[in-house]
Amino acid sequence: ASGPLTVARIKAIHGPLKTIFISGHTRQHWSAGEVFPNDSVFLHKPFTRAQLGSAIRTLLGETAAELSD
């Protein structure tokens, strides 16, 4: 099953789930029917630690300024 479909199935059982989708393919290469949830982030490989950290902060609703306080 695809990532978005798997996440949808997990959410149906366990409720809300923030997700980082990671792929070597761009979003355009995914199936036209794939729907990425609003509470998710897409991260294209390869990525840096800084990009991963930014994706995590985005999902958690934090900004760099909030983290430095």
Side-chain angles (χ1 to χ4, degrees):
S2 70
L5 180 58
T6 301
V7 168
R9 289 177 178 169
I10 293 169
K11 283 181 168 184
I13 297 168
H14 298 286
L17 176 68
K18 295 180 180 185
T19 309
I20 299 175
F21 291 99
I22 299 173
S23 177
H25 298 286
T26 62
R27 285 185 97 153
Q28 291 77 19
H29 286 359
W30 287 63
S31 170
E34 296 285 8
V35 176
F36 289 89
N38 290 336
D39 56 349
S40 68
V41 174
F42 184 87
L43 194 56
H44 185 266
K45 292 192 279 185
F47 52 86
T48 65
R49 282 189 266 173
Q51 289 169 317
L52 177 59
S54 177
I56 293 168
R57 286 189 298 278
T58 296
L59 284 178
L60 296 177
E62 299 172 343
T63 64
E66 290 172 332
L67 294 175
S68 65
D69 290 342

